Amino acid sequence: GSSGSGGGISIEKVSSILSAKGYETFVKKERHQDGSLQAASLYAFKGLSGRFAPIGVHISMVLVVLGASISTTCGWHGTAMIEEGTETPVREAIRPNSFLATVTNQPWKVKDTGEEINLRLNKFRIDYYPDGKVEQFYSDLSVTKEEQGDPGASSEGP
């Protein structure tokens, strides 16, 4: 029987053709309150990938949400106004997202040596559209670290 609303091939026919070719099929029918067919959906898969792909997609979404939650609670954020040719300590430019961030790490220090990290603005420029609106900001930054014993000096670092 035809379950489509307009001519053409029915979902049941497509399902039987796919089944004959080795696909597992599922047809879901949604009905109006009066019992007439509102819509029908067909899902078909073949092999193990079809069985496990939806599970993999859902696990991936859970991992993304978990990663975002960890980043939000244990991360740091900030902005810095640095004049071209000068540098600023990262410690002064960032703030923790929550108390947990302060417990987990100190991102302004080199882990192995404990040296503080600075940001240096080497060059800054702005490109504009012909109508005067800002098109793009360009910043050339260097990450530097303070040398031991001389907090005013810095050297290029990783």
Side-chain angles (χ1 to χ4, degrees), residues 21-56:
K21 294 188 180 234
Y23 287 85
E24 290 191 45
T25 62
F26 298 95
V27 176
K28 179 182 175 187
K29 297 178 182 177
E30 297 179 22
R31 301 199 175 271
H32 291 285
Q33 289 179 349
D34 66 1
S36 63
L37 186 63
Q38 176 183 354
S41 302
L42 171 67
Y43 175 73
F45 64 88
K46 187 175 188 178
L48 288 177
S49 64
R51 293 177 191 254
F52 293 113
I55 294 169

Side-chain angles (χ1 to χ4, degrees), residues 20 43 94 136:
Y43 175 73
I94 60 174
Q136 182 71 48

Side-chain angles (χ1 to χ4, degrees), residues 70-77 95-104:
I70 290 170
S71 177
T72 299
T73 56
C74 298
W76 295 74
H77 69 278
R95 301 286 174 256
N97 287 341
S98 74
F99 171 74
L100 290 174
T102 61
V103 174
T104 57

Side-chain angles (χ1 to χ4, degrees), residues 117-132:
I117 299 170
N118 297 323
L119 289 177
R120 177 177 179 78
L121 180 59
N122 301 316
K123 185 149 179 68
F124 178 79
R125 82 169 204 267
I126 305 172
D127 286 350
Y128 296 93
Y129 287 110
D131 65 359

